Every structure is written in C-alpha cells, then in structure tokens.
Amino acid sequence: MQVTLKNITLAYDQQPPILTNFDCQIPDGQLTALLGPSGSGKSTLLNLIAGLLTPSAGQIIFNQTDVTATDSRHRNIGMVFQDYALYPHLTVRDNIGFPLKMAHVKQAARYQRVAELAELVQVTDQLTKFPQELSGGQQQRVAIARALAKQPSLLLLDEPLSSLDATLREELRGVIRQIQRTTGVTTVLVTHDQEDALQVADQIMVLANGRLQQVGTGRDLYQHPANLTVAQFIGRPRINVVPLGQLPAAFKFWWPTTTPATTLGIRSEAIRLATADQPHLTATVTQQIQLGRDVQTHLQTAMGPLISTAIPTTTDATITVTLAPAGCTLFTANGHRLAGGDRNA
Amino acid sequence: MAHPIRTTLWYLLLTAGAILTLLPFGWMVITSLQPAATTLTATTTWLPKSLQWLNYWHVWQAAPFARYCLNSLLVTVATTAGELFTSLLAAFAFTHLRFYGQRWLFALMVALMLVPGELLLIPNFITLAHLHWINTYAALILPWLASPFMLVALHQAFKAQPQTLYLAARLDGASDWQYLWHVLVPINRPIITAVALLQVIGSWNAFMWPLIVTNTDALRTLPVGLMTFTSDQGTNYPLLMAASVCVILPLFILYLACQKYLILGVTASRLKG
Amino acid sequence: MLNPTPTLKSTLKALLYLAPLLVLTAVFILWPLLNAFLICLYTKYNYYTGHVGALGWANFSYLWHDPVFHLAARNTLLLVLVAVPLSVALALAIALGINQIPRLAGFFQTVYFLPFVTSTVAIGLVWNWIFRLDGGLLNRLLNLLHIPAIDWLNDPHYSLAALIIVCIWQGLGFNIILFLAGLNHIDHRFARAAELDGASDWQRFTNVTWPLLMPITILVIVNTSITNFKVFDQVYVLFHGAAGPGDADLTLMVYLYQKFYVENQMAVAAACGVVFFLCVSALTLITVGYFHHRQRQLGGR
C-alpha cells in the first residue's frame, strides 16, 4: 500500500509547530526507513500515519483513500514499539493472537495463524511463556508477529532495535529484512541509527528539524547528500567540514574561483598520504585509533582538525596529506549541495 | 547484626503484644462455647468441660441472622462491584482520554477525598428521606458508589503502565472498552483486588449509616442486626459472643486468604501524599 | 490519542466513561457537601415540612453555649490527645521490632492487623463483656494482681479510659503496616553506611531511621487523629447506644448522632458536622503544607 502525506501541519497552541506543510510518499511493498536525530519529528510522522496523532491540517492518504479522520483501529496497521508493549498478563500465544481475538476470529483459526507467525519469527518454542520470561530480542520478535497477525497493509516499526544490545540488533535487522521480503508488506522503520537504515531499508528518508531532507538509497545519501545536514548525519566518522576560504591554494584549481560555495565537506577516506607530485598540505598527527579493521587518524592542519580513515598506522608526528576529489563535496552558504560541486559524479 | 539478647527481648515484647491483640478474640470464642446464661454467675473457665456448640445454632434461631447475613452480603457485593465499576471507567478516562476541564476535575476529585463521610450523613439522609428511600437497599448502597479515593488510587496505578500498551491495543483493533477489560483490568489486578478488599471490609463492618437508614429486620445488615440482637438478649453473653464470631469470621477468612493484597492496598492508598 | 489537546469528540467520549462516577459524585458527595454548609445555617428548620425560618449563625452560637457540646469536644480532644501518642508510639515500637527479628515477622504482622478487619460492633460487644464488673476478663486479670475490681463501664472516671483502650487496640494494626512500609522504604544502604561509620544502634535510630521515617510518622499521626475524631461505633456498642456514665464518653460524632437522630435537631447536628469537618481539614492542610515544604527543601518539584 502506498502512503501519501499531503501538506501535513502539526502545531499546538503557544508552541512552535512540529511539522509545517510536510509532504512525502511511502512506496508500496518496500521497506522505507525514516532516519533522523532525536527530535527530528520522525516518530511524530509515524504516529500520524498510525492515526495515534491527528494533524492540525493536511491529508493522509492510503492508496487513494483519505484516512485522515479514520480511527487507528480501522486503518489496518501493524505497529511495533520500542518497548515492545507486549501484554504482560498474556502468554506469547495469546499476545500474538490478541488482534485476531479482537477481530472475533475463532480460537482454532486463531491458533493456526499464531503458529504460522511464530514460525516466521522463530518463537515457536516460546508460545506458552509469558513476555517477562523472554529476552529482549525474543520479545521484539513476538511484537513483530503480533503486528503482522491481522495481515496489515502497513507495518510500522518505531525504533524497534534501540533497546537491544549490538549483537541482537544485528540479528533482528536480519529478521526484519527477511520478514519484509517474505510478506511483502509495506514497511516503515523509524530509527536514529544510520546502520539500521543502511542495512535494512530499500529507501531512506532523512528527517531533521521537522523537514524531509533527502530521500534515496544508502549510496545516494552518502555520495550525493542533498545538503550539509544529510552529509553530516550519514557516514561515520562524521564528514570533515572546512570553510572553503581556508583551503590551501594548491587545491583551489579544482573549482572555478567564482564558485558560490562556502563550505567544503571531505569524507574521511578522501584524506590520504600525499605522493610527491600531488597537491598537499602538512598535518600533525594528534591521535591514531585502531577501530577494528579501520585506523582513525586525527590530524591538525592549517584548515583545522581533520579525521582520516585512509592513513596507515604511522609513527611520524608530521605527515603530508592530499585530498581525493571523489570524497569532496561543496555546499553553499545555506547548506545546499552545490550542483555539480562534487567531483565523483 | 544478630544480637541474641536484644532479639529475645523483641520477641518477648512482640509476643506480649500479640497475646493482648488476640485476647479479645480468644475470650469471645471461649465465652461463645459456655453454657448459656451461666457466665455471670459461674466463673468462665478457659477450658469448659462441655463445649456448647449449640449456642451457634441458638443464635440463628433467636434472630433473623440469615436475613442480616444476606443483606450484608448483598450490600457489600453491590457496593464494591458498583464502586469498582464507576471508578474503573473514570480512572481509564482520566488516564487515556483527553477532555476539557480534565485537570480541574481531577483536582476536585482529590479534594473530595478529604471530605469525611460523617459530614455528608445528614444531607444525604434528608435527600433519601425526601425520595422515600429510607429502608431500601438503594439507601444502603447508592450513596457509596462514588469513591474519589478509589478513583485516585486506580488512576495512580493506571498511569504507571506504559502508554504504548494502550496504543498497541488500539492498533491491534481493540476499542477503548475492550482495552479496559481485556488489558488494563487484568494487568492491574493486584491493586484492584487491594482497593476492592478495603471496600469489602468497610461495607461489611459499616455501622452508622445502616443504623440510620434502616429500621426493619428485613433490611438490617449484620452489625446493626447484632446490635438489635443485643438489646433483645441483654447479658446472655455466650449467645452474643457466638453471634459476634459469626459476624467476624467471614472477613477473617477473607483476610487470611488475601492478606498481601490488603497490605498493598493500605500502603498504596496512604503513601502517595 | 496522543494529541495533548482535547477536542469536542474526545470530550464527549470521555464523558461517557465519566458519567456514572460524576452523576453519583454530584448527587451523593458534592450536593450534600454544599447542603451541609447550608443546613448548618438554617434556623427554625422544620425537617418534616422542609420549612426554613431564616439563615444565620444561631446553630453555631447554640453549640458555643451548649455545655453538652463542650463536654463532647473535651472528651474527643482528650481521646485524641491520649490515644494518638500512645497508639503511634506503640505502633512504631512494634514495627521496629517486626523489622528487626529474623523469623515470624509475617506471623506477627498478620496478628497485629487482625483488629483492622474486625467489625467494630462485634468486637465492641466483646470489649463490653471484657470490661464488665462481674465476670469480666479484665477485672479477673486485675484480681490476679490483687488490684480491686473497677467498674469500667459505669464509673465515669474510667469509662473514657476503656474507650481509649478499645480505640488503640483497633487502630494499632493499620499504623504498624504504615510504619513497616516506611521502614522498608528506607534504603538499607543508609543503615549500613551508618553502621560502618561506627554508629551505635541507638545513634543509628536517632540519626538515620527516625529522620527518614518522619514523613510517615506525620502521616500516621494525622491519620490516627482523624480516625479518633470520628469515633462513634465503639461508644455506641460499649454503652449500648448511650454515651457512657454521665456522658463521660460523649464524643463529637455521638453528639452529632444524638442531635440528628434522637433529638431531630438537624441544623445543630449539621453545624456540629461542619465544626468537625473544619478540625479535620485543618489537620489535613497542615500535613499537606508540611509535605510541600519538605519537598521544596529536598529540591523536588
């Protein structure tokens, strides 16, 4: 099912609006991630789609139907919450079967469907337990199964992984991906963790400050960030940002001197050791950290501090580095990426 | 930590206190088994030779205790169930629904918690008298169906549940009504049992109000009936004590069965300030 | 649902859930509350016809000049002033004891709480029998100690004492439970820390436990005071509907009952009820004030 938000505004008296004239479209049958820092309005958006919040103005459209005024019970949505929200007094079986019970499905048919869902999320051997007897990962699987019980046309996941530890996160990402593929249900995943989005989603929507910053695949967002906000949000370590004016003259010939850009973003992998014939600048190594496979090198240069991940372990205190054009992006004063400003196009 | 002498002293003190607490109960049971009408002349012995179990039978013969019992049971069950019903609905609304005047109304309810029932005695009596409801079950039950205390206690408990539970239930297709009875009530069973028990105790033992609004045997509750029985029997203590045992025993059993809930209720109700 | 501001629709829906409670509250609490304040101002009130002569302070001036009311107020105050400190001190001691002992704590708790679930009327009859001059248990026990028998229920010097004993006996369990809850609430680390600092048991009690128990103690004191202000059932049963020898056990509530039910002086009784309400409210407000003050001191909201 395709979801369209049209001109959505959400505001309360005496408070700055949370969303203003917001538009977006969530494509049918795909897994879309809503990615953004906390306070960006992504959970608000999810609650609007779910009908838990009512917009002050605008329309929410499912396929061709306007559901803005429809109660969330009748929107046929499955939702998974960060704290799982499992019913503590019901067994796993009855938790998963709860939506069916509310829909007056007979017990035999209900248990049949519960068995299928338990199979799908691999909790078949936990069916008679109570939620508090399960681990966090298992609880989240049950929550997903429950959300899928009534075959929703839309599955909403609100920060489903953020209360899990790293290993379980990894595992659950796989589960979510696989379940979405198997069922083909249109899915929206809200997360503040770019790795969740990058690993799981077909398409990522980056939100910040109540605005949609960019929509695209993980590759799009990394290589062609629409603006500085996206560039800074996607990628770890954070993109290096320097004022264009401080760039040594040796690099300036890359762009016409009349460029309206004011800021240069340099990805960490674009800062490399310079060979003799390359334009270069001198840098002091302040710190080198081995982060698993990568080495993060903190540098102090005439342009300010930089972080590189493309410099091998060294004992030299001072090195000369160069910038690879492929990892450099120009931004205008208002943060927009300068069209054609990146050299990797 | 263990200090044998001090611990022994504590045990002695507590045992002495326990004996003093239990003494009236023991004295009641023993007297109830004495031969009728001999207690004032002969000395009551702690272990009488023949236990007069028939005293209990005589009590049921001498006064309409079955009727009193039935009335007490009816009033207690109706009051508790009714009060739970009104409080559960309202506590749900205060917790999950938004309405105009919400804060104001809740503050009013909290304030009404402080109004002692004794102050309302006279105006309520006058209202019921003008409605010609004196000597009806309605008079015994209706004025007690609204309890700000129970509302506030339940609201506190409901508020402590994660709100996502409500949202999840709504998305699972449950109506507010279904959420209340299928989710909220079952998961709050301990506190609901606790406040219900407090009400059961209060209703079963209530004296002043039933005394005022009833004056026929057909409507008297056990405590009032017991008082009537006393005026009839004078100083026939074995019978009076047997009757007292009958009044006290049901709640004793209930208490022993649900002790932990009751203690939860007492602490939850008073420690919130 | 998550929208913080109500709409007409959500208000109507909430009203549906609130209606039973609101209607009953309005009819049986709010309306009588206002009425109580009205009735106490009725002068020359005829209850049967509903005729009200005029509004005024006559009922309060009646109370002011009524020696019987003075007696009731005096008795009630005496009851509160004697029963409350004794009850609170005993309850605290017993709770501390239960908290200290390694075994049987549950048993003692169960025993001490029994009077709370007991019908006042039924156990009042038992006390009536215990206090009797001839054949009563108490005098027999005193006899064993060679103390001459006391006519507890007919001697005005002792009948209030008898009432106080009954009130303490019945209220103790409730206070013990509150104190136990308070003691459990105190973080054991404080006591442990004090112990490591080398504090003796008594020092630990006065410096750690007692100050931390203060809020509960205040709560218990106020609660017990209010309960004892309301004493009625015990008197009625102990003295078979009378107020003790020479009205020695006439409490405010018994006075109210007599004016209201026996003498049909509704307006005077209502005035008495209002006086009682003001006393209880003052007590409550003082506590609320104390807790507010304390919360501010602790840097709370």
Side-chain angles (χ1 to χ4, degrees), chain B residues 222-233:
Chain B
L222 269 177
V224 183
L226 185 60
M227 234 23 242
T228 322
F229 182 63
T230 311
S231 358
D232 297 345
Q233 292 294 320

Side-chain angles (χ1 to χ4, degrees), chain C residues 4-301:
Chain C
T5 43
T7 59
L8 193 63
K9 201 177 143 203
S10 70
T11 304
L12 282 177
K13 181 169 192 187
L15 223 50
L16 225 55
Y17 282 86
L18 291 166
L21 184 78
L22 288 189
V23 170
L24 286 164
T25 304
V27 176
F28 291 109
I29 300 181
L30 222 49
W31 165 244
L33 180 66
L34 299 176
N35 238 342
F37 282 98
L38 264 181
I39 294 172
C40 73
L41 298 175
Y42 289 176
T43 51
K44 302 185 197 127
Y45 174 53
N46 186 330
Y47 154 67
Y48 295 103
T49 57
H51 172 79
V52 181
L55 292 181
W57 300 101
N59 299 312
F60 290 97
S61 96
Y62 176 91
L63 289 181
W64 184 254
H65 296 292
D66 183 11
V68 185
F69 179 75
H70 296 175
L71 187 64
R74 192 194 73 106
N75 287 339
T76 308
L77 271 180
L78 208 59
L79 174 71
V80 169
L81 288 178
V82 177
V84 173
L86 279 176
S87 175
V88 174
L90 271 174
L92 179 60
I94 292 169
L96 283 171
I98 291 179
N99 210 36
Q100 292 273 322
I101 55 171
R103 261 182 288 275
L104 288 177
F107 166 76
F108 281 119
Q109 191 175 322
T110 308
V111 168
Y112 284 117
F113 200 59
L114 273 177
F116 177 78
V117 299
T118 306
S119 156
T120 313
V121 173
I123 207 67
L125 282 179
V126 179
W127 280 106
N128 173 279
W129 169 217
I130 288 176
F131 283 130
R132 262 193 88 94
L133 180 64
D134 45 347
L137 177 63
L138 191 54
N139 279 329
R140 275 190 218 191
L141 294 177
L142 292 178
N143 201 16
L144 289 178
L145 302 170
H146 301 290
I147 298 173
I150 294 168
D151 195 355
W152 293 94
L153 298 178
N154 294 311
D155 186 335
H157 296 103
Y158 291 100
S159 57
L160 190 59
L163 179 63
I164 289 172
I165 291 174
V166 177
C167 289
I168 293 178
W169 180 85
Q170 197 154 29
L172 211 51
F174 192 82
N175 293 347
I176 291 172
I177 298 289
L178 287 184
F179 272 128
L180 276 175
L183 284 171
N184 284 333
H185 204 67
I186 293 176
D187 200 326
H188 288 289
R189 281 174 303 174
F190 288 127
R192 190 55 54 83
E195 199 178 354
L196 291 175
D197 290 343
S200 73
D201 286 323
W202 178 246
Q203 283 173 321
R204 219 160 68 204
F205 175 73
T206 51
N207 289 313
V208 180
T209 312
W210 177 245
L212 286 175
L213 215 51
M214 206 56 206
I216 290 282
T217 312
I218 303 264
L219 205 72
V220 171
I221 290 175
V222 171
N223 210 48
T224 317
S225 307
I226 294 177
T227 314
N228 284 312
F229 257 107
K230 294 183 186 179
V231 163
F232 170 78
D233 301 8
Q234 289 91 333
V235 182
Y236 192 95
V237 182
L238 272 183
F239 305 100
H240 290 291
D247 279 350
D249 291 70
L250 184 79
T251 61
L252 275 180
M253 274 308 121
V254 177
Y255 179 86
L256 186 146
Y257 171 80
Q258 288 184 346
K259 284 287 169 223
F260 161 51
Y261 205 66
V262 183
E263 299 173 23
N264 260 321
Q265 299 207 47
M266 297 280 179
V268 175
C272 174
V274 168
V275 170
F276 160 78
F277 174 59
L278 293 180
C279 291
V280 172
S281 304
L283 266 175
T284 313
L285 288 180
I286 289 170
T287 339
V288 171
Y290 165 78
F291 281 109
H292 257 277
H293 173 71
R294 189 186 145 80
Q295 208 160 42
R296 251 198 316 227
Q297 243 180 0
L298 294 177
R301 290 184 298 133

Side-chain angles (χ1 to χ4, degrees), chain B:
Chain B
M1 276 302 265
H3 204 300
I5 295 174
R6 207 181 39 226
T7 310
T8 313
L9 280 176
W10 275 127
Y11 273 115
L12 280 177
L13 176 91
L14 290 175
T15 311
I19 289 174
L20 286 179
T21 306
L22 291 178
L23 205 60
F25 296 115
W27 186 242
M28 167 176 75
V29 172
I30 286 161
T31 310
S32 76
L33 296 172
Q34 304 280 339
T38 59
T39 38
L40 293 182
T41 48
T43 337
T44 313
T45 42
W46 284 102
L47 275 174
K49 285 186 194 73
S50 62
L51 297 177
Q52 302 291 312
W53 293 105
L54 272 178
N55 282 349
Y56 286 87
W57 174 246
H58 290 318
V59 166
W60 288 78
Q61 298 279 296
F65 265 96
R67 183 76 206 195
Y68 298 158
C69 233
L70 201 71
N71 289 340
S72 265
L73 206 64
L74 184 82
V75 170
T76 303
V77 169
T79 308
T80 310
E83 199 179 288
L84 270 178
F85 183 75
T86 59
S87 305
L88 282 170
L89 292 192
F92 164 77
F94 274 112
T95 312
H96 289 300
L97 303 180
R98 297 287 158 262
F99 49 96
Y100 295 112
Q102 187 161 13
R103 292 165 63 105
W104 179 86
L105 199 59
F106 194 73
L108 176 72
M109 285 296 172
V110 172
L112 287 183
M113 234 175 22
L114 305 176
V115 176
E118 285 79 358
L119 180 65
L120 310 178
L121 207 70
I122 297 166
N124 266 339
F125 179 84
I126 293 176
T127 309
L128 293 175
H130 284 298
L131 289 170
H132 300 289
W133 277 6
I134 300 303
N135 266 324
T136 61
Y137 285 116
L140 285 168
I141 296 166
L142 277 180
W144 307 106
L145 293 188
S147 162
F149 155 69
M150 198 184 259
L151 166 76
V152 172
L154 290 179
H155 176 61
Q156 298 268 17
F158 287 2
K159 235 177 27 181
Q161 306 295 340
Q163 203 199 7
T164 46
L165 226 42
Y166 174 56
L167 305 178
R170 295 287 303 186
L171 286 162
D172 285 344
S175 63
D176 280 347
W177 185 255
Q178 285 171 317
Y179 167 71
L180 175 60
W181 300 108
H182 284 286
V183 180
L184 204 53
V185 168
I187 62 183
N188 285 290
R189 193 146 26 176
I191 186 73
I192 293 173
T193 313
V195 291
L197 272 175
L198 284 179
Q199 187 52 46
V200 166
I201 293 171
S203 293
W204 184 267
N205 294 337
F207 179 62
M208 200 174 183
W209 181 253
L211 175 73
I212 288 171
V213 296
T214 60
N215 51 34
T216 66
D217 269 339
L219 282 146
R220 281 187 183 123
T221 58
L222 269 177
V224 183
L226 185 60
M227 234 23 242
T228 322
F229 182 63
T230 311
S231 358
D232 297 345
Q233 292 294 320
T235 53
N236 190 345
Y237 281 107
L239 278 197
L240 290 181
M241 292 302 106
S244 294
V245 170
C246 295
V247 176
I248 290 173
L249 204 60
L251 280 196
F252 253 46
I253 294 166
L254 189 71
Y255 165 61
L256 292 177
C258 312
Q259 195 187 352
K260 70 170 182 188
Y261 292 115
L262 190 54
I263 286 166
L264 171 78
V266 169
T267 47
S269 65
R270 303 287 150 165
L271 297 183
K272 285 288 148 77

